[in-house]
Amino acid sequence: MTSLLTTVLVFRTNASLQTDKTTITALLGQHPEVAECSLDLEDVDRVLRVVSPSLAATQIIEIMNQKGFQCQELE
Amino acid sequence: MRTRDEHKASVIREKAISMIVNEGFDGMSMQKLAKSAGVSPATLYIYYRNREDMLEQLYEFVQTAFANAALKEFDPTMNFEKGLWVQWKNRMRFIEECPHYFRFFEQFRNSPQINRSSIGMVAFKDNMHQFVSNAVKRGEIRKVEPEIFWSLAYGSFYSLLKFHLQQRTMMNPDFKVTDAKMKQLLNMVVKSLKP
């Protein structure tokens, strides 16, 4: 388990292909404020999980939208 | 934004373990688990990256719990007979107190496709190794291959334990392990390992 102090953000996305996964994890993975990022293609919600000490959900959504992906924070 | 909650984490963990024990690995999905634990799927992702990550973390958790239980009041410098008795009793207690952990462990051991780390087992393995080599050095047992040693020293115990868990055997419709039966087996095992 990652540190208790960081924030975990969880989103539903429309990513469906392995290449989507590669694109997204590479994109967010190189973001300086992202500590960890993963995408679960096996789940119906194609869950994107981002661990960041500082980013807000809206910023992640914006980054995803810019690349043409739908992205919604999971409640 | 979500925060972690240790109590919630342990509820999720227990639900996941019993779901796997009852329905197998394929019977456990993040969505199904969320429903049964009464949390949203998003909550599960606070703790785990995906299903596989969850399985690995669960395995590690159970392994550590087992190692801690097995090492309770155990000292690798103990005389062989005494030390082996402590091991048997500790393992027996662990399995009786947490039978679902034991079943989960067995299930994992039988599925080679799942990644298994053994970070939680370092101290445990070290203690077991020391215990045996001390006993050999003191001339209490003879040196045999580890698998042969395990088959005698622990395989015998686990066989007895399985009869106990099934509560009946081919020979006996109502079987229960007692300290006296365990001692009897222990004596025979110790005798068979003498140099």
Side-chain angles (χ1 to χ4, degrees), chain B residues 10-21:
Chain B
S10 84
V11 170
I12 292 169
R13 194 167 52 218
E14 292 302 311
K15 281 275 177 202
I17 290 173
S18 51
M19 196 173 260
I20 290 164
V21 166

Side-chain angles (χ1 to χ4, degrees), chain B residues 51-92:
Chain B
R51 190 175 165 278
E52 204 171 307
D53 179 43
M54 167 176 242
L55 291 177
E56 281 168 32
Q57 287 196 35
L58 290 176
Y59 183 68
E60 186 132 353
F61 172 82
V62 171
Q63 215 176 28
T64 307
F66 167 76
N68 290 341
L71 293 178
K72 211 179 263 175
E73 282 162 50
F74 176 78
D75 179 343
T77 61
M78 275 173 169
N79 144 287
F80 183 71
E81 185 168 348
K82 180 155 189 249
L84 191 61
W85 178 248
V86 172
Q87 276 308 309
W88 283 16
K89 288 293 280 182
N90 281 351
R91 294 176 192 212
M92 179 90 183

Side-chain angles (χ1 to χ4, degrees), chain B residues 1-192:
Chain B
M1 184 180 123
R2 282 159 187 280
T3 48
R4 292 159 191 273
D5 167 343
E6 266 318 303
H7 171 69
K8 205 183 257 178
S10 84
V11 170
I12 292 169
R13 194 167 52 218
E14 292 302 311
K15 281 275 177 202
I17 290 173
S18 51
M19 196 173 260
I20 290 164
V21 166
N22 295 326
E23 300 173 44
F25 287 119
D26 295 337
M28 206 270 304
S29 72
M30 296 294 258
Q31 299 285 336
K32 237 170 112 174
L33 174 60
K35 219 174 257 174
S36 113
V39 299
S40 80
T43 302
L44 295 185
Y45 284 91
I46 300 294
Y47 303 98
Y48 305 105
R49 288 178 197 92
N50 49 44
R51 190 175 165 278
E52 204 171 307
D53 179 43
M54 167 176 242
L55 291 177
E56 281 168 32
Q57 287 196 35
L58 290 176
Y59 183 68
E60 186 132 353
F61 172 82
V62 171
Q63 215 176 28
T64 307
F66 167 76
N68 290 341
L71 293 178
K72 211 179 263 175
E73 282 162 50
F74 176 78
D75 179 343
T77 61
M78 275 173 169
N79 144 287
F80 183 71
E81 185 168 348
K82 180 155 189 249
L84 191 61
W85 178 248
V86 172
Q87 276 308 309
W88 283 16
K89 288 293 280 182
N90 281 351
R91 294 176 192 212
M92 179 90 183
R93 197 176 319 115
F94 175 74
I95 290 159
E96 284 206 305
E97 279 169 16
C98 316
H100 58 306
Y101 286 2
F102 178 63
R103 284 198 205 102
F104 174 82
F105 212 48
E106 293 279 284
Q107 222 159 325
F108 246 88
R109 273 204 256 195
N110 297 328
S111 48
Q113 74 275 23
I114 290 159
N115 275 331
R116 285 167 290 187
S117 69
S118 53
I119 303 162
M121 294 295 263
V122 176
F124 171 76
K125 281 186 183 158
D126 206 45
N127 269 275
M128 292 305 113
H129 184 77
Q130 284 300 325
F131 174 55
V132 177
S133 72
N134 287 338
V136 171
K137 259 183 241 156
R138 286 192 303 254
E140 292 165 4
I141 59 173
R142 68 180 118 161
K143 194 171 167 54
V144 288
E145 273 179 71
E147 291 78 10
I148 307 286
F149 170 81
W150 195 92
S151 300
L152 274 167
Y154 294 104
S156 56
F157 159 73
Y158 282 108
S159 294
L160 193 69
L161 184 78
K162 275 189 183 145
F163 287 135
H164 177 70
L165 293 176
Q166 290 160 3
Q167 285 177 359
R168 69 192 146 129
T169 70
M170 220 150 67
M171 304 70 91
N172 195 339
D174 182 27
F175 180 78
K176 255 195 161 55
V177 161
T178 58
D179 271 11
K181 286 175 196 172
M182 277 171 74
K183 280 269 191 213
Q184 192 188 356
L185 183 64
L186 185 85
N187 286 335
M188 295 172 85
V189 167
V190 170
K191 206 178 276 176
S192 70

